[in-house]
Amino acid sequence: MLYGMSSTNTSPPNASTPSIILDCDPGHDDAIAIVVAAQHTNLVGITTVAGNAPLTMTTRNALIMTDLLGIDTPVHSGADRPLVAPPRHAGYVHGESGLDGADLPEPTRGANGDNAVEFIIETCRTTEGIWLVPVGPLTNIALALRTASDLKDRIAGISLMGGGSFGNRSAAAEFNIWADPEAAAMVYEYGGPLKMAGLDVTHQFQATPDRIAKVSALPGRLAELLADLLHFFSATYMTRHDDMGGAAVHDPLAVMALTHPELFTIAQRHVVIETAGEHTRGMTLIDERALIERRPPNCDVLTHVEADAAFDVIVAAIAHFSN
Ligand code: BDR
Ligand code: CA
């Protein structure tokens, strides 16, 4: 595709099943991303990072999700703080536990390991062509790329949730990039395939009451708990925004960019991370210029999602694991 053009991918759904490592900080929308990944990918592993909540809680939440889904995907905890920035969380969106709003069970198992970076490196060295799908701060991914220079040639690419042409944690910066801008800069500069589900596309994907009702209508405990989580998540979003009909369900879109590319429009852009700006630290600066002197694209930026169809993918994935 030529630079500057947009396209809707027309490849058939699930033409091939991507192998992925989901790097997450659950988080309500991370929990939904785990459900979609469990159905539609070869989910090689889940790695956790501090972000929405401290690492102990994001790891616990990931383990609870694997229990609820009945999957034995390995879970490895990773970085408990950003590379340079102080650790800061998002209790104002997700609650102090990271997954407030539902009566969740205790996890039945512990994490398989506490070195997510090593797990990522060894897994990608053993198996070529894995997609890394980070949906939290990019600390683990940056550490893996920095530790293993061969990694970028072993993976299929990186499909992340982060950034956008506007911010949510600050006027300029989206939370995942804002939380660890130095790590994000390393990831955006890594030189391989990169897909970005930023706020421009994720704010098109809201858990409206009608959509949550589709989850509530499903049988079983998983659906009941996820509907409770979506109600809580949407309530915090609608309280904090002027113009939203429900929470933006950000993170599953980074998974669906791989599993359901036909639902998205993309634009190829050069994107850099601002790490120094007094007001713009953590910004993803997307080069939209029509000038030929612009730098060549390093990123497929998701610009549009078929929201109803994408939410139906989520509902069907929850139904798949419901009993
Ligand atoms: C991102 O930040 C977190 O609150 C969500 O889980 C998502 O990954 C959105 O800015
Ligand atoms: Ca997240």
Side-chain angles (χ1 to χ4, degrees):
M1 189 178 65
L2 293 174
Y3 174 80
M5 293 181 67
S6 291
S7 74
T8 298
N9 191 314
T10 53
S11 59
N14 305 322
S16 62
T17 303
S19 294
I20 78 165
I21 295 174
L22 184 66
D23 186 69
C24 57
D25 62 335
H28 296 70
D29 50 329
D30 304 72
I32 303 288
I34 293 172
V35 180
V36 174
Q39 187 188 4
H40 288 291
T41 75
N42 173 26
L43 184 54
V44 175
I46 297 172
T47 51
T48 58
V49 66
N52 287 325
L55 183 68
T56 50
M57 293 183 191
T58 59
T59 305
R60 179 178 189 276
N61 294 340
L63 290 164
I64 291 170
M65 286 308 302
T66 61
D67 280 349
L68 290 172
L69 294 171
I71 59 175
D72 59 3
T73 305
V75 175
H76 291 259
S77 63
D80 65 358
R81 55 156 298 152
L83 297 183
V84 176
R88 291 173 295 196
H89 309 299
Y92 51 90
V93 176
H94 298 275
E96 293 306 312
S97 75
L99 272 186
D100 277 14
D103 187 14
L104 296 171
E106 290 297 314
T108 62
R109 63 175 174 131
N112 300 71
D114 63 1
N115 193 336
V117 173
E118 185 178 273
F119 172 78
I120 291 168
I121 294 170
E122 292 309 317
T123 305
C124 294
R125 280 182 172 158
T126 305
T127 306
E128 196 170 358
I130 292 174
W131 281 91
L132 303 181
V133 183
V135 295
L138 290 157
T139 323
N140 288 338
I141 306 300
L143 286 169
L145 291 169
R146 187 171 73 180
T147 306
S149 58
D150 56 316
L151 201 65
K152 76 177 175 56
D153 298 320
R154 298 289 303 167
I155 61 176
I158 299 174
S159 179
L160 64 84
M161 189 282 135
S165 65
F166 57 96
N168 58 7
R169 188 56 183 79
S170 75
E174 179 279 329
F175 176 79
N176 289 341
I177 309 297
W178 171 89
D180 196 342
E182 283 74 19
M186 291 167 64
V187 170
Y188 275 76
E189 291 166 7
Y190 94 101
L194 180 63
K195 296 178 188 294
M196 167 181 165
L199 297 178
D200 303 83
V201 70
T202 66
H203 275 222
Q204 297 168 27
F205 191 49
Q206 298 177 14
T208 59
D210 284 356
R211 290 178 180 152
I212 298 176
K214 291 185 176 183
V215 178
S216 300
L218 296 172
R221 188 171 184 221
L222 173 70
E224 182 186 342
L225 291 173
L226 289 173
D228 288 348
L229 290 173
L230 286 171
H231 278 299
F232 177 94
F233 194 34
S234 275
T236 62
Y237 260 79
M238 291 168 73
T239 306
R240 298 180 72 248
H241 290 79
D242 294 328
D243 61 346
M244 294 191 71
V249 192
H250 311 274
D251 292 346
L253 297 188
V255 178
M256 280 192 257
L258 302 177
T259 60
H260 297 76
E262 72 282 0
L263 298 179
F264 297 93
T265 305
I266 63 163
Q268 295 184 315
R269 297 284 184 254
H270 191 88
V271 183
V272 293
I273 307 300
E274 174 60 84
T275 56
E278 180 183 354
H279 301 291
T280 54
R281 180 168 155 78
M283 176 182 184
T284 48
L285 180 59
I286 304 168
D287 194 341
E288 303 274 2
R289 292 177 297 173
L291 286 169
I292 56 172
E293 70 200 46
R294 67 186 169 251
R295 294 176 68 187
N298 64 345
C299 186
D300 285 350
V301 179
L302 276 56
T303 58
H304 181 263
V305 60
E306 299 293 333
D308 284 333
F311 203 85
D312 285 346
V313 171
I314 287 175
V315 174
I318 298 168
H320 177 80
F321 290 102
S322 292
N323 48 48

PDB file of all heavy atoms in Angstrom, residues 25 29-30 52 135-136 176 251, ligand 2:
ATOM      1  N   ASP A  25      -1.706  -5.731  31.486  1.00  0.00           N
ATOM      2  CA  ASP A  25      -1.787  -5.199  32.861  1.00  0.00           C
ATOM      3  C   ASP A  25      -3.249  -5.175  33.313  1.00  0.00           C
ATOM      4  O   ASP A  25      -3.800  -4.125  33.595  1.00  0.00           O
ATOM      5  CB  ASP A  25      -1.161  -3.792  32.937  1.00  0.00           C
ATOM      6  CG  ASP A  25      -1.874  -2.755  32.065  1.00  0.00           C
ATOM      7  OD1 ASP A  25      -2.520  -3.150  31.058  1.00  0.00           O
ATOM      8  OD2 ASP A  25      -1.819  -1.550  32.397  1.00  0.00           O
ATOM      9  N   ASP A  29     -10.251  -3.940  30.128  1.00  0.00           N
ATOM     10  CA  ASP A  29     -10.155  -4.216  28.692  1.00  0.00           C
ATOM     11  C   ASP A  29      -9.068  -5.239  28.396  1.00  0.00           C
ATOM     12  O   ASP A  29      -9.184  -6.017  27.437  1.00  0.00           O
ATOM     13  CB  ASP A  29      -9.947  -2.923  27.884  1.00  0.00           C
ATOM     14  CG  ASP A  29      -8.833  -2.052  28.412  1.00  0.00           C
ATOM     15  OD1 ASP A  29      -8.572  -2.054  29.627  1.00  0.00           O
ATOM     16  OD2 ASP A  29      -8.202  -1.357  27.598  1.00  0.00           O
ATOM     17  N   ASP A  30      -8.033  -5.304  29.253  1.00  0.00           N
ATOM     18  CA  ASP A  30      -7.048  -6.389  29.114  1.00  0.00           C
ATOM     19  C   ASP A  30      -7.727  -7.744  29.302  1.00  0.00           C
ATOM     20  O   ASP A  30      -7.404  -8.717  28.604  1.00  0.00           O
ATOM     21  CB  ASP A  30      -5.953  -6.268  30.179  1.00  0.00           C
ATOM     22  CG  ASP A  30      -5.242  -4.931  30.189  1.00  0.00           C
ATOM     23  OD1 ASP A  30      -5.869  -3.939  30.624  1.00  0.00           O
ATOM     24  OD2 ASP A  30      -4.081  -4.869  29.765  1.00  0.00           O
ATOM     25  N   ASN A  52      -1.973  -0.582  34.958  1.00  0.00           N
ATOM     26  CA  ASN A  52      -3.247  -0.181  35.557  1.00  0.00           C
ATOM     27  C   ASN A  52      -3.235  -0.345  37.077  1.00  0.00           C
ATOM     28  O   ASN A  52      -3.889   0.407  37.806  1.00  0.00           O
ATOM     29  CB  ASN A  52      -4.388  -1.015  34.972  1.00  0.00           C
ATOM     30  CG  ASN A  52      -4.727  -0.621  33.550  1.00  0.00           C
ATOM     31  OD1 ASN A  52      -4.652   0.546  33.194  1.00  0.00           O
ATOM     32  ND2 ASN A  52      -5.104  -1.603  32.730  1.00  0.00           N
ATOM     33  N   VAL A 135      -0.442  -4.690  25.591  1.00  0.00           N
ATOM     34  CA  VAL A 135      -1.625  -3.842  25.801  1.00  0.00           C
ATOM     35  C   VAL A 135      -1.532  -3.112  27.139  1.00  0.00           C
ATOM     36  O   VAL A 135      -2.550  -2.718  27.719  1.00  0.00           O
ATOM     37  CB  VAL A 135      -2.930  -4.665  25.668  1.00  0.00           C
ATOM     38  CG1 VAL A 135      -3.100  -5.175  24.247  1.00  0.00           C
ATOM     39  CG2 VAL A 135      -2.981  -5.817  26.657  1.00  0.00           C
ATOM     40  N   GLY A 136      -0.316  -2.956  27.615  1.00  0.00           N
ATOM     41  CA  GLY A 136      -0.035  -2.168  28.813  1.00  0.00           C
ATOM     42  C   GLY A 136       1.212  -1.351  28.547  1.00  0.00           C
ATOM     43  O   GLY A 136       1.661  -1.249  27.396  1.00  0.00           O
ATOM     44  N   ASN A 176      -0.709   4.075  28.323  1.00  0.00           N
ATOM     45  CA  ASN A 176       0.337   3.052  28.194  1.00  0.00           C
ATOM     46  C   ASN A 176       1.678   3.657  27.774  1.00  0.00           C
ATOM     47  O   ASN A 176       2.739   3.177  28.180  1.00  0.00           O
ATOM     48  CB  ASN A 176      -0.070   1.975  27.179  1.00  0.00           C
ATOM     49  CG  ASN A 176      -1.184   1.090  27.692  1.00  0.00           C
ATOM     50  OD1 ASN A 176      -1.433   1.028  28.900  1.00  0.00           O
ATOM     51  ND2 ASN A 176      -1.880   0.423  26.772  1.00  0.00           N
ATOM     52  N   ASP A 251      -8.104  -2.654  24.556  1.00  0.00           N
ATOM     53  CA  ASP A 251      -7.054  -3.654  24.350  1.00  0.00           C
ATOM     54  C   ASP A 251      -7.372  -4.795  23.386  1.00  0.00           C
ATOM     55  O   ASP A 251      -6.473  -5.235  22.655  1.00  0.00           O
ATOM     56  CB  ASP A 251      -6.625  -4.226  25.711  1.00  0.00           C
ATOM     57  CG  ASP A 251      -5.898  -3.183  26.555  1.00  0.00           C
ATOM     58  OD1 ASP A 251      -5.503  -2.133  26.016  1.00  0.00           O
ATOM     59  OD2 ASP A 251      -5.724  -3.431  27.765  1.00  0.00           O
TER      60      ASP A 251
HETATM   61 CA    CA B   2      -4.152  -2.399  29.341  1.00  0.00          CA
END
